[in-house]
Amino acid sequence: MNLKDFLIIKRATDSLGEGELKPYLQFMLAKIKLVKQQEGTSETLAHELIKLYDELKGLQERKVFWSPVPNCTHVHIVIGESFAGSMKQALRGLGLEETHKVISLQENYAIGPLGLDLAEGRMERRNWFSNNIIGGLEEYDEFENEYNEILAKLDLIPKGAEIVVWTSSNACEQIGLRHAVHLLRSKPNSISLYDACSVCEELYNRPDAFIHYMCSGEIPSEKLREAISRLDDKKRLDSTDVARLDKEWKVITEQSGTLRIWRDEAVLEVPADYYDEYLLEKLDDLKPLGGDEGYLKSSRLIGEAIGNCEQFIGDAYFEYRLRELIYKGVLEIKGVPAGMRFYSIRRK
């Protein structure tokens, strides 16, 4: 499989919400089970999987229907493909897909260089991901085309449409919010700002049933439907808000670091090794299975780190820091670091 085909598959699956992705997985597992039970043929399985593959690829082509059109009344700006998939599903459930459109900013703004306003800065970001993040080997031309596609979609927003920017209390979405406002700063549209996680927690949390969402992508579409139905004009940004957020974006992009967190209602740049000691502490707390010479699956450690971290960073960054600790001689490795599932680590 070439890189282009892999990227098509990745974008198609990333754009699906949890409720949309599960049926595809269930379908594949059911078909594989039938073959194992000799109730189907490998030829039939291959044919049906090819149809599934073609359908997934077609999702990329159908994404155009969510682009702004002249008669749309609302444009929702969201951060991340997972949240975008849930948002689209929620809008469909409300019957709003014709007048409410979605633009997703796909970057993990918490990590990597952020000089996105210049071609040189985008090249630097692409190179950093290529050199440090597994799965970040995207062609620069593809990276540049995707960025230009977002700019083109923003240009298509009609003057009378309400722009709704969704965010939550993490560095990725807070920086994404500031990037969105920076890109929209010259448009005449009104811009409203909503914290998706806070809205849903306020709507659904009870003393006996409490969920704290780390990012908007964790919110199921049925809860988003209720949040969308309560949109009003009380969250609109004024010109002072827009100027402040635009300035904050520019300050962030001038920083040279590659890791950012959200603390005390502000984006804070921290050293690249900020979570190294945290990872080592989690490694010491976990007990490897007996007979494995003290090695622990890196995926288990990263899962534990994500589950207990007060910030939303993403598994890719933790995996990158594990490899850095291996290169520095702090950790020993068993396996091949081609992905977190393929190797184990222990203290050297």
Side-chain angles (χ1 to χ4, degrees):
M1 179 185 296
N2 59 41
L3 178 61
K4 185 175 181 180
D5 285 339
F6 173 79
L7 291 174
I8 290 173
I9 294 171
K10 183 179 184 298
R11 291 191 203 102
T13 53
D14 285 350
S15 67
L16 294 170
E18 182 181 357
E20 297 173 304
L21 187 59
K22 281 184 177 179
Y24 284 102
L25 177 59
Q26 291 165 349
F27 173 83
M28 288 188 290
L29 293 177
K31 293 300 178 182
I32 293 169
K33 181 180 179 181
L34 287 176
V35 172
K36 288 188 67 175
Q37 294 174 339
Q38 298 183 340
E39 296 179 18
T41 66
S42 57
E43 291 82 3
T44 301
L45 175 64
H47 177 70
E48 292 181 338
L49 290 179
I50 288 172
K51 287 176 62 178
L52 182 65
Y53 169 77
D54 290 339
E55 182 177 341
L56 278 171
K57 286 187 68 175
L59 289 175
Q60 281 299 111
E61 299 172 3
R62 294 200 296 274
K63 283 173 68 177
V64 69
F65 295 113
W66 288 98
S67 297
V69 292
N71 65 335
C72 68
T73 60
H74 293 74
V75 175
H76 300 266
I77 311 292
V78 301
I79 316 301
E81 283 295 326
S82 177
F83 186 36
S86 296
M87 178 63 70
K88 292 172 186 177
Q89 191 174 0
L91 292 172
R92 273 195 296 264
L94 291 168
L96 297 175
E97 66 268 32
E98 295 299 323
T99 55
H100 287 237
K101 301 301 177 178
V102 178
I103 297 176
S104 64
L105 306 183
Q106 302 167 20
E107 298 293 332
N108 181 351
Y109 292 93
I111 66 175
L114 275 180
L116 292 171
D117 292 332
L118 299 173
E120 295 84 352
R122 295 191 290 275
M123 174 66 84
E124 181 187 11
R125 180 169 176 82
R126 181 267 169 200
N127 289 341
W128 184 86
F129 272 82
S130 176
N131 293 328
N132 296 290
I133 303 298
I134 291 177
L137 297 173
E138 188 166 5
E139 296 280 356
Y140 174 70
D141 288 345
E142 198 72 31
F143 183 88
E144 188 73 358
N145 289 340
E146 287 188 357
Y147 189 80
N148 289 329
E149 181 182 338
I150 290 172
L151 297 182
K153 288 183 178 182
L154 294 175
D155 284 339
L156 289 174
I157 298 175
K159 293 181 179 179
E162 174 80 15
I163 298 174
V164 183
V165 183
W166 294 86
T167 189
S168 65
S169 297
N170 61 67
C172 176
E173 292 182 79
Q174 287 291 333
I175 300 171
L177 150 69
R178 285 154 176 78
H179 188 205
V181 170
H182 168 73
L183 296 175
L184 295 164
R185 66 193 185 281
S186 299
K187 296 191 74 67
N189 308 69
S190 61
I191 303 174
S192 296
L193 174 62
Y194 284 86
D195 184 323
C197 296
S198 292
V199 170
C200 289
E201 287 172 6
E202 182 179 346
L203 285 173
Y204 293 101
N205 280 348
R206 307 188 307 272
D208 60 332
F210 181 90
I211 297 177
H212 173 65
Y213 297 105
M214 295 293 292
C215 67
S216 300
E218 296 178 349
I219 303 171
S221 60
E222 58 269 19
K223 290 188 176 181
L224 275 178
R225 286 201 296 267
E226 183 64 25
I228 294 168
S229 68
R230 299 194 178 205
L231 293 178
D232 53 40
D233 59 2
K234 296 179 181 178
K235 302 288 186 178
R236 285 183 179 172
L237 302 177
D238 59 26
S239 58
T240 302
D241 296 324
V242 171
R244 173 180 57 82
L245 292 168
D246 178 40
K247 181 178 179 180
E248 289 176 5
W249 163 254
K250 292 174 181 176
V251 170
I252 292 169
T253 61
E254 290 170 357
Q255 297 171 347
S256 59
T258 56
L259 179 62
R260 293 159 285 274
I261 62 174
W262 179 248
R263 179 172 293 166
D264 298 328
E265 301 299 309
V267 174
L268 177 65
E269 182 183 42
V270 295
D273 62 357
Y274 183 78
Y275 282 109
D276 286 11
E277 283 301 319
Y278 170 74
L279 285 169
L280 293 173
E281 290 172 5
K282 291 301 174 189
L283 176 61
D284 293 339
D285 290 341
L286 294 171
K287 303 298 181 184
L289 296 175
D292 204 19
E293 302 176 321
Y295 283 97
L296 182 76
K297 282 287 186 183
S298 61
S299 55
R300 185 183 173 202
L301 174 57
I302 292 170
E304 184 76 9
I306 292 173
N308 290 278
C309 187
E310 81 286 357
Q311 300 282 334
F312 173 72
I313 301 298
D315 57 357
Y317 191 84
F318 283 131
E319 200 279 330
Y320 152 58
R321 294 313 306 175
L322 273 190
R323 282 183 281 112
E324 288 296 303
L325 289 169
I326 293 168
Y327 301 150
K328 291 177 180 178
V330 178
L331 298 177
E332 292 182 311
I333 181 174
K334 183 171 72 172
V336 180
M340 68 181 76
R341 302 187 308 275
F342 303 116
Y343 67 98
S344 301
I345 40 71
R346 70 180 182 189
R347 287 269 196 173
K348 190 168 184 179

